Amino acid sequence: MTDFTAVEKLVHGQEIIDAIHRYARAIDRVDAELLKSVFWEEGAYCQIMNDACVHEAAESIVGWMNETFAVTQHALSTTNLAFADAERAKTETYFTAFHLTRPKLDRAKLESIIGARRIAELGGDYSESYEIVVGGRYLDVFERRNGAWRIHTRRLLLDWTTTDVGRGLRKDEGLILSSNTRAWSTRDQSDPSYLL
């Protein structure tokens, strides 16, 4: 248990939430440096990367995300936070994550993501883009060093998934037309959010 005052708990809690939010932004904008800012140098993403250090794998993580998905969007909701002491905290954060695969992915890669059975159920067209929506939770152990909170270990839990053929509007149709290019995001540092 900590000796934090109520105000200190709020401040430390917000710093932890900020780090959780930076993770979602880093993955969605495929920003390796931002991803590194969330984890300590030896910090690991358990079971996803065989406990490999995120700092060492950041470039390959965002590279794989960019090669595999045309779009991702992570929406975070409830975070349950408990301070173990003044230097450690544990969190459980609920998320919903949307993924749109790039069209014409390598057959083996697409099957590793969606599965041959589900692709067959959706028509068996390996040239299609597929929408994958995942609901789950992140279980994080945070550590505070030199006044900064970062993730030491993260574990992913999946609660549900759904998959369908990508059926979204193109940039030249519907409410958002191609002439209004400022309305579309990018998955890199040219995204308008980096100008804020």
Side-chain angles (χ1 to χ4, degrees), residues 168-184:
L169 296 174
R170 293 189 320 256
K171 293 180 182 182
D172 63 348
E173 62 188 8
L175 295 173
I176 303 174
L177 303 176
S178 61
S179 61
N180 189 1
T181 57
R182 292 178 293 164
W184 289 96

Side-chain angles (χ1 to χ4, degrees), residues 68-80:
T68 307
F69 301 111
V71 174
T72 62
Q73 187 177 67
H74 290 70
L76 308 173
S77 58
T78 306
T79 295
N80 298 303

Side-chain angles (χ1 to χ4, degrees), residues 43-168:
Y45 203 140
C46 301
Q47 100 262 17
I48 296 293
M49 300 166 28
N50 298 321
D51 296 331
C53 167
V54 172
H55 278 244
E56 293 173 2
E59 294 292 338
S60 62
I61 293 168
V62 299
W64 184 87
M65 292 294 291
N66 199 35
E67 292 166 7
T68 307
F69 301 111
V71 174
T72 62
Q73 187 177 67
H74 290 70
L76 308 173
S77 58
T78 306
T79 295
N80 298 303
L81 184 150
F83 290 100
D85 54 44
E87 308 299 325
R88 286 181 4 121
K90 295 180 180 181
T91 63
E92 174 191 46
T93 302
Y94 286 71
F95 71 88
T96 304
F98 173 86
H99 307 77
L100 179 66
T101 64
R102 293 198 179 275
K104 301 178 182 175
L105 276 181
D106 172 80
R107 182 183 187 102
K109 182 182 260 190
L110 190 60
E111 286 182 357
S112 74
I113 298 165
I114 298 173
R117 176 197 58 83
R118 186 64 180 138
I119 295 169
E121 289 174 350
L122 295 171
D125 187 346
Y126 282 78
S127 68
E128 288 277 8
S129 291
Y130 289 89
E131 298 173 350
I132 306 162
V133 184
V134 178
R137 291 167 286 145
Y138 300 120
L139 303 182
D140 296 329
V141 175
F142 276 85
E143 290 186 0
R144 183 171 71 137
R145 302 177 192 170
N146 300 317
W149 288 97
R150 292 187 183 181
I151 297 172
H152 183 264
T153 56
R154 166 167 277 190
R155 182 173 177 209
L156 172 71
L157 295 178
L158 300 179
D159 292 324
W160 58 269
T161 67
T162 186
T163 307
D164 204 346
V165 175
R167 303 200 191 281

